[in-house]
Amino acid sequence: MKTSKSWILDYVDVPEGTTTEDITAALTRTGLKLEAIESAGAEISGPLVVGRVLTMEPEPQKNGKTINWCTVDVGDANGSGDPQGIVCGAHNFAPGDLVVVVLPGGVLPGGFEISARKTYGHVSAGMICSARELGLGEDHDGIIVLPQDAGEPGQDARGVLGLDEEVIELEVNPDRAYGLSLRGIARDVALSVSGASNFRDPALREVPPADDQGHPVVVDDPTGCPVFVARTVSGFDPTAATPDFISARLTAAGMRPISLAVDVTNYVMLETGRPIHGYDADKVQGALRVRRARAGERLTTLDGTDRELSAEDLVVTDDSGLIGLGGVMGGETTEMSASTSRVLIEAAHWDAVSMFRTGKRHKISSEAGKRNERGVDPTICEAAADRVVELLTTYGGATADPGHTVVGTPPPMAAVTMGLDRPARVSGLPIDADTVLALLEADGCVVAREGDALTATPPPWRPDITDPHDLVEEVVRLVGYDEIPSVLPPAPGGRGLTRVQALRRRIGRTLAGAGWVEVVDFPFVGERDLDVLGIPAADPRRQVLRLSNPLSSQAPAMTTTLLPGLLRAAARNVGLGTTSVALFEAAPVVLPRGTEAAPILPVDRRPTDAEFDALLKALPDQPLHLGLVATGDAELPGWWGTGRGVDWSDAVDAVRAVADALGVQLTVAAAAEAPWHPGRCAELRVGEHLVGHAGELHPKVCDAVDLPRRSIAAEVDLDVLIEAAVHLRPAPSFSDYPAAKEDVALVVDERTPAAAVEAALREGAGPLLESVRLFDVYRGEQVGAGQVSLAFALRFRAPDRTLTDEETAGLREAAVVAATQRTGATQRS
Amino acid sequence: MSGPNSSFDPVEVAALSEEEVSRAVDAATAAFAAAATLEELKQARIDHAGDRSALALANREIGALPPQARKDAGQRVGRARGQVNQALAARQEVLEAEHEERMLAEETVDVTLPTTRRPRGARHPITLQSELIADIFVAMGWEIAEGPVVEAEWLNFDALNLGPDHPARTMQDTFWTEPADRHVVLRTQTSPVQARTMLTRQPPIYVACPGRVFRTDEYDATHSPMFHQVEGLVVDEGISMAHLKGSLDHLAARLFGEGIDTRFRPSYFPFTEPSAEVDVRCFVCRGVGSDACRTCRGEGWIEWGGCGVVNPRVLTACGVDPERYSGFAFGMGIDRSFMFRHGLEDLRPLFEGDVRFSAAFGTEI
Ligand SMILES: [Zn+2]
C-alpha cells in the first residue's frame, strides 16, 4: 500500500515536528511495516525547473507540423543565466507563460534522458514538459502552464508540482487488511505515534436513509453478498477533469488516473478500504441481481477476457444476463465510457472466501479483489457509496438521484473470550488487567470484563480477530514488541545429534578429506537428462514424480539420480578451466510408489495413527543418495612426476572410503549399468543389499555431457550404508609374535575376478592368515593369452607362538590349493 | 755376559728404537692429516695402523728383545699405537663431519616448491552453515529434526493453520506434484517437520529443523526455486515470547558475535499468533547503521526471519493440549544468513557447483 504522507494527515493530527520517519517507525512497530519512503517524483532526476517563455517563433516544417523555437528564462539554473533555446511541439502557451523545463542531464519517467540535441535546425537544450511526460496523468493535452504566481524562473519545479511529496509504502499482512486504506493507516497513526490525536474517520458520515426508490437490487445469496448498496447520479459530465489532488494521490498510490468516474471510485476505495464498482446506468437493464453463477456460464470482464464461470462464482446480473463477477471485476457490457452520464454506484460486501476462490480460479489480481478477499469493514458500504456521490457531484457536475438502495445487513462480529492474564503469560511481559482492557478498547474492541476473563467484540474492520491469541497480539503490539524481555528457556537434557546425523557429517568430512568437493544442485530432472545417461525405459530411475507447475519444461520432474546435476557441474567446471574436478553431492532423490492420495485430514483434532500413517504412505520414497563425479587428474602433474588421471578405481575407492568410515564391509562385483562403461562398472553391496554403482562413465555419456572420456562416477544409497554402519566396534587384539611373509603368484583366466582369488586364498589359509594384499597384476607372453598373473603378499601370524617355516609353508600351500580348486589358478613358477 | 743375548739381531732391534717409533708416529700423523677424504684416510689407516704398518711390524719384534728390554719397548710401541689411533679417530671424525655436511648440502631441495599433488576437497558452505547452526542448538540442549522435501499438502499447509482458502497460501508459491488430487507438494517451508515432531512425540519439545525448501521463484541473484531454512520449535509448559526472544538473541550472538541481538516487529504467519518478524543487529556496524555499511545498507539491522507463539490451532491439529502447553517457533533462511555473514551478494554461486566457490570455504566456516 502506497500513499502520500499528506493524505494520511487529512485524518489525524500529529504534533509539530513529527517526521515522516517518526510516523513510519511507529507504524512498523505496530504492524504496518515500512517498505520505502519515496518522493512522488522519484522517477525524475536532474534539473527540473520553472521557466518563463521569453520568445516563441512558429516554424512550419516540411512534414506539415509546426514547431515553436522558444527561448526560455530559466534563471541561472543553466549555469549561465542566458535564455535557454528549446524546440517545442505544443501550442497551448504564449510568451510570458510560466512553464516546467527539464534541462540537459535530467531524466524523466521511463529512463528518458534529456540532452542538448540538434533538431529542426536548432540546438534544443532541454524540453518544456507536459503532465504526461512527468508521469502526472494522461488527460492533459499540451504542456503544463503554471499559474503566474507559481514560482520564479530557475526555481526547482518539484515543489510547485507536488513532486516533492513524500510517499510512504507499507507492507500490509493478510491479517491487517485495514491497512489497505487511508482510514486504517490513519487510525494506526493515531494509536501509535506519540502525541497523535483527533482521528477523523472518513467512513463516519451522515448518509441519507435507505428507501425503496433507488435502483432495484435482489440478492439471492445473502451469504455470498450480505450487504449491497446502490446509488445513482445523473447529469455527469464525462469530460470533466479529475481534480489534481485526486490524480496526484492516485498516482502516488501507484494507480493510473483514467477518468473522473473511475478515479473517484478508486479514490474512495483507497480512502475507506471499500471497493466500489461503477456501472454506466444507461447500459444496465432492469434490476441488479446477485447470485451464484451456473457452471459453464460465460462473461467477458472489463479486461476483455471471456471467462467460463464456475458454480461457486458470485455474479451480478441484469435483465440482459451476466454483467459482472461480483466483487472481483465488472463486465464489459455495462462498463463506464467517455459518454457515460448516469453512474450506478455499487458498494457491496462480499464473502471473503468466495472472493479468494474466484480470484484464484480466474487468475484475477485486482485492487478490489485484494481487499475483498482479505476482508473489508461490512458496515461502511453506505458511507462509501455516499462519498462517491459527493465527489461525482462536486467535480463531475452530476446530481444525486433520489433513492438509496440498501439490501441486507452487515454480519455481526463474533465476540472472543480470553483470560485476562493471557497476554502476560504469552508475552512474558507484566501486563495487568487494566492495561489489557484499555488497549483493546483503544484498538476498537467492545470489551466487557467478567471476573478473570474478558469478552471482546472486535471492530468490524478486524475480521481477522477470531481467537484469544489474536487479542493477545493486539495487546502486545500496542505495548510494543521492543518491551519483551530476553530470557533463555531452561535447557532440556538434549540427546545431541542423532547417530544418522553424525554419520552423515562423517561421510562429508571423509570425502572432503579425500579431495572431493561438495556441491548443491536443484533436484529437477527432464527426460533428456536421463536419455543422455542412456538409462533404459524400464529402469526404475525413469519412474519420476512430475511437477504440475515446473519452472522449466526441460526439467519438469523430481530427479531419481544425482548424476545429471553432478555431470553438468563437472562440465561447467571444465568449461571454466578447472579441468581436474572431483565433485560429490549428498541429497535425497524421489522414488514414487503407489497411487494413493495424501488425505486432507481434519485440523480440529489430532489425526488418528491410521490417518497419519495413510498420509505418510502416500508420499514417495526419498532415500538419501550420494553421487560422485570426477574428471581430469587424480594426482596432478608436477615436479614429482607426470601425475595420474582418474580411473574407475578412484570411484570405487571413494565409496569404499565412505564405507570404511562407517565400518561397513562392501563387496564388489562387476556390473553393467547405465551410465557406466559396461566393462568398468562395479556393483557395490552390503551383504545382500545393493548400495549402488561406481566406475568409469560410458564414453558416449562423456561425449554427450561434454566431459573428457575416462571421467568417472558413483551413486550409492546412503540410507542403506548408514543403516549398515557398525554401532560398537570391538577392540582388536594383536599378537606380538613375529609375522611370516609369503608371496604367491597365481595365473588365472583373465575373466576371473581378483576378489574371487583373494577370497579363496583367505578361505584356504584359515585364521592364521593376518592379511593378504594383491600387489601386482601382470598380463603378457609369459603367462599366455587370456591369462593373468596375480601376485599376492600373504602375512601369517599366530596369537601364541612363532610360526615355524614348515607351518608357514603348509599354510601357503593350503591357500594355493584352495585358489586352485575354486578359481583354477596355477602357481606361476 | 749370559747366553740368551747371543741371538740378538741388531736390525730388528732398530725398529723398536725410540727414534724409529717416533718417526713412525710422525709419519702416521702426517699421513692422516694429509688425507682429504674418507677414502684417503682409509688407505692411510692401512698404511700406518694396519697389520703391515711399521708399528705393527715393530710390535712383532718385541718378543725378540731380551726380557729386560721387552717391557720398555712394549710400552713405547703401545703408546705410539695409541697416539696413532687417536690421530686416526680424530681425523676420521673431522672427515666424516665434512662428508656429512657436504652430502646434506648436496641434498638440499627447494622447499618452496608446490606440494599439493591432489586438489583439496571441500564441503559446501551451506552444509557447513547448517551444521554450525545445528551445533548451536545442540549446545543449548535442543535436537535436530528432519523430514522429507516431498511432503503432504496437509502437513505443509492445513496442519499449520493454512487452510485451503487462506490468502497466505498464495504468498508461498508452491510446487505441486502430479496428479494435483494426490495433495503432495514440495515443502515450501521446513514447518511440516515441526508438525511431524509434535505428531510423533510428546512435549517437552526443543527442536531445530534445517533443510531444503522450494518455491516457484524464477532463479536470479536473490531468488532461487530451492533454498535452505532452519526453523526452531519449542513446546513446553510456561513458554512465552520472552523465551523466543532469548533463544534468538542467543543464536544471533553465537552466529554473528558477542553482543549481537535481535528485535521484533509485528507480522503475520498463520502458524503463529502473535507473530513477529525478527531483525538481527548488523554485526558489522553493530546497529549504528552508518551509510557506509554495505552489510545492512545503512539500516543498522538486517531482516532475518519470522517467529511467534505457536498458534493454539496448530497445537490442536498436532495433538498437543493447548491448555497445558504453549510454544514458540521461528524460521530463517540459511542461505540468506550465509550471504550476509560472508558478504555474498548474488546467491547463484551456491547452486552452480563451481569448485572454486566451495573450495574457498574448505571444511569449516
Ligand atoms: Zn551495518
Side-chain angles (χ1 to χ4, degrees):
Chain A
M1 175 78 186
K2 279 168 81 172
T3 174
S4 47
K5 174 186 158 192
S6 66
W7 197 1
I8 300 173
L9 298 181
D10 273 4
Y11 312 110
V12 61
D13 299 334
V14 294
E16 193 83 23
T18 305
T19 64
T20 306
E21 285 75 14
D22 292 338
I23 293 173
T24 56
L27 287 173
T28 298
R29 272 200 305 276
T30 47
L32 296 176
K33 188 200 156 199
L34 175 68
E35 279 286 294
I37 301 174
E38 296 170 352
S39 67
E43 279 199 275
I44 302 170
S45 64
L48 183 75
V49 299
V50 174
R52 187 179 301 281
V53 180
L54 299 176
T55 62
M56 165 175 183
E57 293 163 30
E59 294 181 357
Q61 301 296 315
K62 286 194 208 99
N63 62 10
K65 273 168 82 176
T66 299
I67 58 102
N68 290 301
W69 169 239
C70 308
T71 56
V72 184
D73 175 11
V74 292
D76 40 20
N78 56 4
S80 68
D82 296 335
Q84 194 82 353
I86 299 175
V87 169
C88 181
H91 300 279
N92 65 322
F93 63 103
D97 280 348
L98 277 187
V99 295
V100 179
V101 178
V102 55
L103 295 171
V107 181
L108 296 185
F112 181 34
E113 287 177 39
I114 305 301
S115 57
R117 61 191 183 97
K118 234 177 132 97
T119 179
Y120 297 111
H122 298 282
V123 173
S124 182
M127 194 169 92
I128 305 176
C129 302
S130 71
R132 183 193 301 255
E133 283 152 354
L134 295 177
L136 291 174
E138 303 283 322
D139 51 349
H140 296 282
D141 277 331
I143 55 131
I144 297 171
V145 178
L146 298 169
Q148 280 298 326
D149 59 356
E152 292 300 315
Q155 180 186 336
D156 194 308
R158 287 175 178 81
V160 176
L161 294 167
L163 288 174
D164 56 350
E165 252 251 74
E166 281 177 307
V167 176
I168 297 169
E169 184 175 1
L170 301 169
E171 185 187 304
V172 178
N173 284 315
D175 63 333
R176 304 206 173 277
Y178 68 83
L180 295 172
S181 69
L182 268 299
R183 181 190 186 216
I185 295 169
R187 186 186 288 107
D188 262 13
V189 168
L191 268 175
S192 62
V193 173
S194 170
S197 61
N198 194 19
F199 170 61
R200 300 174 288 279
D201 185 347
L204 194 66
R205 50 192 291 132
E206 287 291 326
V207 293
D211 57 34
D212 56 4
Q213 305 301 303
H215 193 95
V217 173
V218 181
V219 175
D220 290 342
D221 189 334
T223 311
C225 180
V227 184
F228 196 113
V229 171
R231 297 283 298 273
T232 316
V233 298
S234 300
F236 174 71
D237 173 9
T239 65
T242 300
D244 286 346
F245 79 95
I246 291 185
S247 38
R249 285 175 169 180
L250 290 180
T251 304
M255 299 182 83
R256 205 163 49 93
I258 293 166
S259 67
L260 177 61
V262 173
D263 295 347
V264 161
T265 57
N266 284 333
Y267 185 80
V268 174
M269 175 178 71
L270 293 173
E271 187 178 54
T272 63
R274 163 59 62 203
I276 308 281
H277 185 64
Y279 301 87
D280 185 329
D282 290 327
K283 295 180 189 166
V284 175
Q285 301 170 28
L288 296 181
R289 187 173 209 107
V290 178
R291 62 168 170 83
R292 298 278 170 179
R294 288 182 274 277
E297 275 188 305
R298 303 191 81 86
L299 172 69
T300 302
T301 42
L302 281 179
D303 57 358
T305 308
D306 176 45
R307 300 175 188 276
E308 184 177 330
L309 305 184
S310 125
E312 284 190 63
D313 293 329
L314 282 161
V315 292
V316 180
T317 69
D318 68 358
D319 292 350
S320 71
L322 269 56
I323 59 169
L325 208 44
V328 177
M329 195 178 271
E332 227 175 19
T333 57
T334 54
E335 186 179 2
M336 292 189 293
S337 70
S339 59
T340 298
S341 65
R342 290 182 63 232
V343 180
L344 172 55
I345 301 150
E346 166 204 305
H349 185 66
W350 304 91
D351 171 54
V353 170
S354 295
M355 294 298 101
F356 175 70
R357 289 187 182 164
T358 294
K360 199 167 124 182
R361 187 178 302 121
H362 296 289
K363 298 188 169 65
I364 298 174
S365 168
S366 65
E367 290 291 328
K370 193 160 92 184
R371 287 168 176 79
N372 281 328
E373 72 186 29
R374 282 168 171 77
V376 184
D377 184 344
T379 64
I380 60 168
C381 294
E382 290 173 71
D386 193 59
R387 174 73 165 142
V388 173
V389 171
E390 179 195 358
L391 291 172
L392 290 181
T393 52
T394 306
Y395 297 104
T399 49
D401 288 356
H404 184 191
T405 305
V406 178
V407 177
T409 50
M413 302 300 292
V416 181
T417 301
M418 170 181 83
L420 281 164
D421 64 341
R422 193 181 273 261
R425 275 197 288 122
V426 169
S427 64
L429 274 169
I431 309 173
D432 61 33
D434 290 341
T435 308
V436 171
L437 295 166
L439 290 175
L440 288 177
E441 254 165 21
D443 203 34
C445 295
V446 177
V447 187
R449 181 173 182 167
E450 293 156 15
D452 289 340
L454 68 78
T455 297
T457 305
W461 59 85
R462 293 304 302 272
D464 59 291
I465 298 180
T466 56
D467 290 19
H469 271 231
D470 299 326
L471 295 177
V472 171
E473 181 172 272
E474 291 306 302
V475 172
V476 180
R477 81 172 174 118
L478 294 176
V479 170
Y481 278 19
D482 290 346
E483 304 299 316
I484 297 169
S486 182
V487 179
L488 263 184
R495 288 172 291 189
L497 292 180
T498 64
R499 182 173 157 71
V500 169
Q501 288 161 351
L503 292 180
R504 284 205 305 258
R505 290 187 178 192
R506 192 191 293 172
I507 291 166
R509 290 192 189 124
T510 299
L511 288 167
W516 298 80
V517 177
E518 186 178 19
V519 298
V520 171
D521 196 16
F522 301 148
F524 309 123
V525 76
E527 288 284 315
R528 217 196 86 79
D529 295 318
L530 301 175
D531 293 345
V532 161
L533 298 188
I535 294 179
D539 190 292
R541 286 172 290 178
R542 288 280 183 180
Q543 301 301 310
V544 292
L545 180 71
R546 300 188 139 272
L547 296 172
S548 308
N549 53 340
L551 280 186
S552 157
S553 59
Q554 303 299 303
M558 298 304 287
T559 196
T560 52
T561 160
L562 300 179
L563 294 181
L566 283 164
L567 291 170
R568 249 191 321 271
R572 194 178 301 124
N573 278 292
V574 171
L576 288 167
T578 313
T579 50
S580 293
V581 279
L583 305 180
F584 79 97
E585 181 176 22
V589 298
V590 177
L591 309 177
R593 56 174 177 184
T595 54
E596 295 299 309
I600 299 298
L601 301 172
V603 293
D604 54 354
R605 59 166 173 83
R606 185 193 187 278
T608 64
D609 288 346
E611 287 171 331
F612 189 48
D613 273 357
L615 188 84
L616 299 183
K617 285 213 178 74
L619 296 176
D621 265 338
Q622 297 172 64
L624 183 69
H625 271 205
L626 169 67
L628 300 123
V629 166
T631 187
D633 291 318
E635 183 175 292
L636 301 170
W639 56 266
W640 49 76
T642 55
R644 179 177 72 78
V646 296
D647 62 44
W648 64 270
S649 70
D650 292 301
V652 176
D653 193 57
V655 180
R656 278 207 167 110
V658 168
D660 288 345
L662 302 177
V664 173
Q665 197 72 41
L666 280 184
T667 52
V668 178
E673 176 91 355
W676 284 274
H677 185 306
R680 297 182 174 191
C681 173
E683 173 190 279
L684 308 160
R685 287 182 183 274
V686 178
E688 289 306 299
H689 296 287
L690 180 65
V691 174
H693 295 86
E696 183 178 315
L697 285 163
H698 197 293
K700 274 189 188 154
V701 173
C702 294
D703 294 350
V705 299
D706 278 336
L707 280 178
R709 291 190 176 197
R710 307 278 177 230
S711 297
I712 60 170
E715 182 159 23
V716 296
D717 186 330
L718 282 186
D719 286 347
V720 174
L721 267 183
I722 288 172
E723 172 76 26
V726 287
H727 262 258
L728 286 175
R729 304 193 200 202
S733 66
F734 300 116
S735 162
D736 290 339
Y737 288 94
K741 295 175 190 171
E742 289 281 344
D743 287 353
V744 54
L746 297 172
V747 176
V748 291
D749 185 295
E750 67 180 359
R751 286 164 301 185
T752 307
V757 181
E758 183 186 312
L761 288 170
R762 283 183 186 280
E763 186 75 25
L768 295 181
L769 178 67
E770 183 175 84
S771 70
V772 51
R773 197 172 78 79
L774 176 64
F775 68 88
D776 192 31
V777 177
Y778 173 78
R779 281 184 180 78
E781 279 175 25
Q782 294 175 40
V783 295
Q787 300 283 101
V788 61
S789 164
L790 306 171
F792 293 91
L794 310 179
R795 190 158 61 180
F796 298 97
R797 200 186 318 245
D800 53 354
R801 64 189 191 281
T802 302
L803 291 172
T804 63
D805 290 350
E806 294 71 36
E807 277 181 295
T808 308
L811 292 168
R812 177 186 190 281
E813 186 54 29
V816 171
V817 167
T820 306
Q821 284 170 351
R822 304 266 177 89
T823 66
T826 54
Q827 263 201 88
R828 190 175 165 201
S829 43
Chain B
M1 297 292 254
S2 58
N5 266 342
S6 59
S7 62
F8 182 77
D9 179 344
V11 177
E12 286 161 343
V13 171
L16 286 164
S17 72
E18 219 174 300
E19 300 80 58
E20 280 306 312
V21 168
S22 141
R23 192 176 305 126
V25 170
D26 289 347
T29 313
F32 295 159
T37 67
L38 285 168
E39 275 305 302
E40 285 175 23
L41 185 63
K42 188 179 172 193
Q43 190 55 53
R45 178 176 62 75
I46 294 166
D47 293 346
H48 297 279
D51 292 346
R52 310 284 312 155
S53 65
L55 284 175
L57 294 175
N59 197 45
R60 284 188 209 160
E61 300 307 323
I62 289 175
L65 286 180
Q68 62 274 32
R70 282 186 201 158
K71 186 180 171 204
D72 214 25
Q75 280 175 350
R76 186 159 56 247
V77 173
R79 239 190 340 265
R81 292 183 85 178
Q83 282 172 345
V84 168
N85 283 337
Q86 223 165 15
L88 173 66
R91 187 60 184 156
Q92 178 85 17
E93 198 173 320
V94 168
L95 287 180
E96 271 177 7
E98 278 177 13
H99 173 76
E100 186 175 70
E101 199 176 331
R102 201 163 48 245
M103 196 180 68
L104 292 178
E106 281 166 10
E107 286 176 4
T108 298
V109 296
D110 178 359
V111 295
T112 69
L113 287 172
T115 57
T116 308
R117 301 184 188 209
R118 312 192 55 163
R120 298 263 187 263
R123 302 184 68 211
H124 195 272
I126 291 301
T127 310
L128 297 171
Q129 176 86 59
S130 301
E131 291 180 2
L132 181 60
I133 292 171
D135 288 344
I136 293 168
F137 286 112
V138 167
M140 289 165 69
W142 298 29
E143 287 162 27
I144 306 302
E146 292 162 315
V149 296
V150 177
E151 184 59 283
E153 178 184 356
W154 186 81
L155 280 167
N156 193 67
F157 291 124
D158 304 69
L160 305 173
N161 195 33
L162 269 146
D165 294 315
H166 206 293
R169 272 209 189 185
T170 53
M171 286 159 60
Q172 299 181 354
D173 301 311
T174 310
F175 281 109
W176 294 85
T177 70
E178 284 184 351
D181 58 9
R182 282 194 73 182
H183 304 299
V184 171
V185 301
L186 304 195
R187 68 178 180 195
T188 57
Q189 47 197 355
T190 44
S191 318
V193 181
Q194 303 188 23
R196 284 167 172 266
T197 304
M198 288 187 276
L199 282 161
T200 50
R201 55 185 277 196
Q202 284 303 306
I205 292 170
Y206 290 78
V207 293
C209 328
R212 302 173 154 199
V213 299
F214 297 84
R215 307 267 172 98
T216 55
D217 285 328
E218 290 291 341
Y219 187 45
D220 64 26
T222 54
H223 297 86
S224 169
M226 180 182 89
F227 54 100
H228 299 78
Q229 264 191 349
V230 60
E231 296 195 4
L233 171 74
V234 166
V235 181
D236 202 345
E237 290 179 8
I239 290 297
S240 74
M241 289 177 90
H243 296 126
L244 168 60
K245 180 80 162 56
S247 300
L248 288 171
D249 282 345
H250 184 79
L251 176 64
R254 297 279 78 74
L255 206 50
F256 300 109
E258 214 52 57
I260 299 304
D261 56 1
T262 62
R263 73 172 182 197
F264 288 180
R265 289 179 280 109
S267 188
Y268 173 76
F269 308 104
F271 185 76
T272 50
E273 186 74 31
S275 301
E277 282 194 55
V278 52
D279 297 339
V280 62
R281 184 183 297 275
C282 176
F283 58 94
V284 175
C285 65
R286 301 190 78 80
V288 172
S290 107
D291 283 344
C293 184
R294 288 176 66 232
T295 302
C296 63
R297 297 195 166 75
E299 297 286 326
W301 295 82
I302 304 162
E303 286 185 29
W304 200 18
C307 65
V309 174
V310 180
N311 194 314
R313 289 172 183 242
V314 174
L315 295 178
T316 302
C318 294
V320 174
D321 178 3
E323 293 307 315
R324 177 167 174 203
Y325 294 107
S326 57
F328 65 76
F330 58 83
M332 60 263 314
I334 294 176
D335 319 68
R336 204 180 128 64
S337 300
F338 173 82
M339 286 172 77
F340 60 73
R341 192 169 181 257
H342 294 270
L344 177 69
E345 309 228 328
D346 182 333
L347 60 75
R348 284 172 290 196
L350 293 174
F351 302 113
E352 298 194 337
D354 189 329
V355 292
R356 293 173 299 177
F357 189 75
S358 287
F361 298 94
T363 52
E364 289 299 331
I365 59 172

